Amino acid sequence: MPLTSGECQAPPYGSTTLYLRGSMNNWAALDEYALQWQCDAYLLNVAFDARHDFKIADAAWSPPSTFGARVGAAGDLTLAQAYALVTNAESGVTANLRFAYAGEQTLRLVVKDGLPTLAIGPKSFNDPRARA
């Protein structure tokens, strides 16, 4: 459940910028794929029509902020279902995540009690950076 405006919290990874990095952008940390902290979650709108492998990571692939699937897990996300992520700091290495994107969607990375989860659903984020 989203927090009210008086309950916003600081980003759990401080000033570290997290990016969607994967087959859709040659695994690069590009500004247009930077997630934005919005009170209680990191959010990013995307518009793809293909299946992609990906991870969420900072520009340097730092172990504490490189998120993926646990090695040996399928890593397949289901629309609107939260998927528990692991970091390279926890497991040494992470496997790719996979999702069959279909049009405009929002990625939502939530960290609750130190446990990160990612959900991809219909576009729901009103991005203040988006062009009119």
Side-chain angles (χ1 to χ4, degrees), residues 22-105:
S23 57
M24 73 286 295
N25 61 12
N26 202 28
W27 298 92
L30 303 174
D31 288 342
E32 60 263 34
Y33 295 101
L35 283 78
Q36 296 178 59
W37 179 253
Q38 295 292 312
C39 195
D40 64 347
Y42 292 93
L43 301 168
L44 175 67
N45 290 332
V46 296
F48 306 126
D49 285 307
R51 182 179 174 88
H52 288 289
D53 283 15
F54 66 96
K55 292 184 181 184
I56 304 293
D58 66 11
W61 293 103
S62 302
S65 50
T66 296
F67 304 89
R70 187 168 303 284
V71 172
D76 293 308
L77 278 77
T78 302
L79 184 68
Q81 297 294 313
Y83 185 93
L85 302 175
V86 294
T87 67
N88 284 11
E90 294 171 71
S91 62
V93 67
T94 55
N96 291 346
L97 301 164
R98 287 176 208 84
F99 186 72
Y101 294 90
E104 293 185 311
Q105 294 172 312

Side-chain angles (χ1 to χ4, degrees), residues 2-14:
L3 302 172
T4 65
S5 60
E7 299 174 352
C8 287
Q9 53 188 314
Y13 301 101

